[in-house]
Amino acid sequence: MEVGIDGIELWAGKLRLDLPGTFAPANGEDPEKYTKGLGLQASSLPDSYEDIVTMGANAAHRLLERKGVSLDEIGRIDVATESAFDRSKPVSTYVAGCLESAHEGSLTTANKGERKFACMAGTQALDDAVNWIRAGRNRGRAALVIATDTALYARDDPGEATQGAGAVAMLVAEDPGLVALGPEQGIGSVDETDFLKPNQQFPSVDGKRSMQVYLARMREALVDFARAGGTTHPDEFALVPFHTPFPAMVQKAAPLGYRHAIRDTEYEEQLADEIGRQPRPEGFESEEAYLSAVKEYTEALTDTDQYGRWYDRTVEPTLAISRQVGNWYTASVHVTRVAGLLEARDAGRELAGAGLLVASYGSGAQAEIHAETVQPGWTDELDGLRIREQLADRREISFEEYERIHDAHNHEESTDIAPLTEPDGEFVFDGWGRMGEREYAFIE
Ligand code: HMG
């Protein structure tokens, strides 16, 4: 039985902060730090009536409408987030309340939960849903997996450059229309304190170390994936979507993955005259000498045409949306999958039956790698997506508006600002209930 993603929808925060044009000059920085250094053009930010519930519910609402799925056909709702505002009541219950107010049917018998492992949780929730179906506990029903985050950092934190807000909703089902998940899974997981939020809204981050931890856990996950029986041969994968905190992070990770993937293959041999064969530990007297040789080889590999062709085909297309929205934490890797597929469809690539190697990551820290197979009819699902139109329709904000919006979403500030956009056929935050709960309304 094939199980995987049958349908997918994205919802971007409705405000657009231009990074090189607005944010960099206001901070006295060179715009090229954003465009070249981080690979980012803009952040998507939530208007004052948007939050993780509205973005998640709006993505799910659109998905259910488009797929013609009633609430009675959903047996499970998992929300992945690291921006939750309630330590007991899961965000999935708020989302379910929204959906029940606007759709036929009931979610009374849907099992609801919330997943946490920094950005890793979106893929973990997907994994849980797939396993629930494979275990035969779904009674023919589908699972709704939602990854939703407002990835905001404290003002003046270096992470502010990489902010973003948005949600991805995925319908997980038997005989999926978009991708089926393979059984092999590689994990790299170590207790790390590079990025965390100990009882606080905005993260404490050791940015440079977080990048090293990302690379180390990814390498372990790739080795573990091969150990689990997964192939990493470059010919097997049409796209390699990575968790993308900012595109330049992926540009650093991709050569390490490619180096691993071509080891002992014809590609390593083809490059031998140009850059030599890959260093092996047994050829060196010390680990330091070995690591230095590996670094040198990787730099030379990155400059080859062979690597450039692979990168342009499998990785670059996956970054097209991230460059325009920033980091969506739990949703980030699911954004890169969609971006890669959209770009491939537009380029006329035929991907039915092709493989995706999906590389997820969450600080704290864990990486996970699994393979997916693109399903026949995959372009039909992509044709229903409106993410590009939604990105183009975002309201451009000034630096002063950005400062006020950031305060409006800061739990420790009581700033109340008028919305900058007009809600239209969507769920909005509608104030506080008598027990301190957040309340929502659907605006026609
Ligand atoms: P920073 O100090 O603002 O930036 O921190 P920088 O000065 O290091 O510049 C960034 C890059 O731009 C550098 O490139 C500069 O050289 C370059 P690199 O040396 O790294 O190759 N640069 C320029 N290039 C061209 N022209 C210029 C120019 N100026 C500079 N004029 C940092 C950047 C990413 C550390 C910061 O934004 C940060 O702390 N971000 C948050 C943490 C993060 O995103 N970590 C990524 C890995 S961890 C992860 O992915 C998990 C996460 O998603 C959370 C979760 O799991 O929940 C974050």
Side-chain angles (χ1 to χ4, degrees), residues 29-38 82 117-120 153 157-162 194-195 197 205-214 243-246 248-249 252 327 329-330 332 361-364:
E29 290 175 311
D30 183 345
E32 293 204 336
K33 170 182 161 183
Y34 293 86
T35 51
K36 295 205 170 129
L38 298 170
E82 55 173 288
F117 195 141
C119 304
M120 193 56 238
Y153 290 76
D157 185 292
E160 211 182 354
T162 64
D194 54 322
F195 171 111
K197 303 178 187 171
V205 197
D206 183 343
K208 296 291 173 202
R209 216 178 95 65
S210 76
M211 295 168 67
Q212 293 311 316
V213 176
Y214 176 112
H243 166 61
T244 304
F246 52 94
M249 182 72 242
K252 290 184 201 303
N327 194 354
Y329 286 163
T330 54
S332 166
Y361 176 76
S363 285

Side-chain angles (χ1 to χ4, degrees), residues 323-342:
R323 292 191 191 287
Q324 301 301 327
V325 301
N327 194 354
W328 286 9
Y329 286 163
T330 54
S332 166
V333 69
H334 308 291
V335 169
T336 59
R337 182 199 291 103
V338 166
L341 290 171
L342 280 172

Side-chain angles (χ1 to χ4, degrees), residues 71 140 142 150 153 188 204 207 260 266 281 284 297 332 338 353 358 371 382 412 435 440:
L71 299 185
T150 45
Y153 290 76
S204 298
H260 179 96
E266 64 279 26
F284 293 85
Y297 177 87
S332 166
V338 166
V358 181
L382 295 173
E412 284 175 8
M435 291 179 74
Y440 297 92

Side-chain angles (χ1 to χ4, degrees), residues 40-94:
L40 287 166
Q41 284 295 335
S43 307
S44 59
L45 296 173
D47 204 342
S48 55
Y49 57 84
E50 293 188 288
D51 66 14
I52 49 171
V53 171
T54 66
M55 294 187 299
N58 285 323
H61 171 59
R62 219 190 245 176
L63 180 61
L64 298 181
E65 293 250 296
R66 179 161 63 73
K67 304 287 289 182
V69 172
S70 89
L71 299 185
D72 300 318
E73 294 171 271
I74 303 291
R76 184 179 174 108
I77 306 184
D78 288 304
V79 172
T81 186
E82 55 173 288
S83 321
F85 48 78
D86 192 315
R87 293 190 201 178
S88 173
K89 190 174 147 59
V91 171
S92 50
T93 59
Y94 288 90

